[in-house]
Amino acid sequence: MNKIEQTLSIIKPDAVERNLTENIKNMFEKNNLVIKDQKKIHITKDEAADFYKVHQSKPFYNDLCNYLSSGPIVVMILEGENAISENRKLMGATDPKKADKNTIRKTYGISIDKNSVHGSDSIENAEKEIKFFFKD
Ligand code: CMP
């Protein structure tokens, strides 16, 4: 069933640093994901820890929080039909080495940590993550 959804996307420090923001935004738009709101921010490690708290028991949590707070990121609200799953398809597998051709992570990702983009994985998390960055 097709329904209009919103999802949160983050262009991570590795991609912002390599000036890939416009290329990645173009990939969203070509895939019918409309950017409804966006901002470039640099979050603290505490904010990253709060954002990623669902991963707090994972061995990679500390590195993940250091990484997301290591430089500017672009956070966006994407909207479209089945936006959550469409964005995840477009991003590709978490590990760029395992991602399909033409996905964002296959095209631009460097490693499982520096995988260029984050996207919400469920309706519930999309709502939470959008609220986290766009409170108003
Ligand atoms: P993201 O979609 O932002 O969600 C959590 C992030 O943890 C993930 O992308 C990866 O960049 C990072 N990560 C680091 N190591 C792992 C791992 N072993 N499994 C899953 N995610 C990992």
Side-chain angles (χ1 to χ4, degrees):
M1 203 180 69
N2 293 338
K3 56 179 176 344
I4 301 292
E5 292 173 346
Q6 289 193 336
T7 190
L8 182 92
S9 170
I10 304 178
I11 303 182
K12 295 188 183 183
D14 67 274
V16 174
E17 184 179 270
R18 287 177 290 147
N19 294 317
L20 296 171
T21 302
E22 289 309 312
N23 298 26
I24 293 173
K25 282 190 205 168
N26 286 338
M27 287 176 85
F28 291 139
E29 279 162 358
K30 276 195 193 124
N31 285 275
N32 303 314
L33 292 165
V34 177
I35 301 167
K36 298 297 281 187
D37 205 349
Q38 58 184 308
K39 57 187 176 186
K40 189 174 183 180
I41 53 177
H42 191 159
I43 61 171
T44 63
K45 184 174 177 183
D46 281 352
E47 287 168 327
D50 193 12
F51 178 75
Y52 273 135
K53 64 178 180 246
V54 39
H55 294 299
Q56 63 193 349
S57 62
K58 309 268 172 64
F60 55 84
Y61 181 59
N62 189 52
D63 286 346
L64 179 61
C65 300
N66 280 331
Y67 173 59
L68 197 71
S69 57
S70 68
I73 58 175
V74 178
V75 293
M76 281 162 295
I77 300 174
L78 302 180
E79 186 176 279
E81 275 187 17
N82 302 318
I84 296 164
S85 59
E86 288 302 316
N87 182 42
R88 290 181 69 77
K89 248 192 265 167
L90 177 62
M91 289 194 300
T94 308
D95 183 348
K97 288 200 293 287
K98 296 181 184 155
D100 289 338
K101 212 175 143 208
N102 297 327
T103 60
I104 296 173
R105 285 168 169 163
K106 182 68 173 185
T107 309
Y108 297 122
I110 296 169
S111 65
I112 196 163
D113 303 295
K114 297 185 173 180
N115 61 356
S116 300
V117 280
H118 166 84
S120 311
D121 64 0
S122 64
I123 292 182
E124 194 195 358
N125 284 336
E127 280 173 8
K128 278 191 204 155
E129 292 180 359
I130 288 170
K131 267 203 200 112
F132 186 91
F133 287 112
F134 298 92
K135 291 183 182 99
D136 305 328

